[in-house]
């Protein structure tokens, strides 16, 4: 997911996106623990997406002050 795409989302959409990404991360970790995950790079990609969304949310909070 690109930062440009994330910046175009509203705060409510970003909150739902974070919840979705955290759920995906949990499932990926579960698959990794049971040796069912083929692409282990997917875990780090999802972590980076979560960080990007958190960064944009924080920017929105600071801009609102």
């Amino acid at each position: 997911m690109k930062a440009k795409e994330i910046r175009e989302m509203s705060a409510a959409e970003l909150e739902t996106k974070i919840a979705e990404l955290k759920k995906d991360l949990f499932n990926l970790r579960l698959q990794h623990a049971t040796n069912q995950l083929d692409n282990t790079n997917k875990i780090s990609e999802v972590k980076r997406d979560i960080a990007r969304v958190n960064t944009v949310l924080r920017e929105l909070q600071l801009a609102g002050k």
Side-chain angles (χ1 to χ4, degrees), residues 8-45:
E8 294 172 354
M9 293 181 174
S10 68
E13 290 174 327
L14 291 173
E15 292 289 341
T16 58
K17 188 67 176 175
I18 280 205
E20 177 184 319
L21 287 170
K22 286 185 177 182
K23 201 176 291 186
D24 289 345
L25 182 60
F26 174 78
N27 288 332
L28 288 170
R29 284 181 173 163
L30 189 64
Q31 288 177 3
H32 184 64
T34 59
N35 293 326
Q36 295 177 351
L37 186 62
D38 294 331
N39 185 6
T40 56
N41 290 335
K42 186 71 176 163
I43 293 173
S44 58
E45 289 174 14

Side-chain angles (χ1 to χ4, degrees), residues 6-7 9-19 50-64:
I6 295 171
R7 291 186 194 284
M9 293 181 174
S10 68
E13 290 174 327
L14 291 173
E15 292 289 341
T16 58
K17 188 67 176 175
I18 280 205
I50 290 171
R52 283 186 189 108
V53 173
N54 279 331
T55 301
V56 172
L57 269 175
R58 183 68 178 149
E59 288 174 356
L60 290 174
Q61 288 175 352
L62 291 176

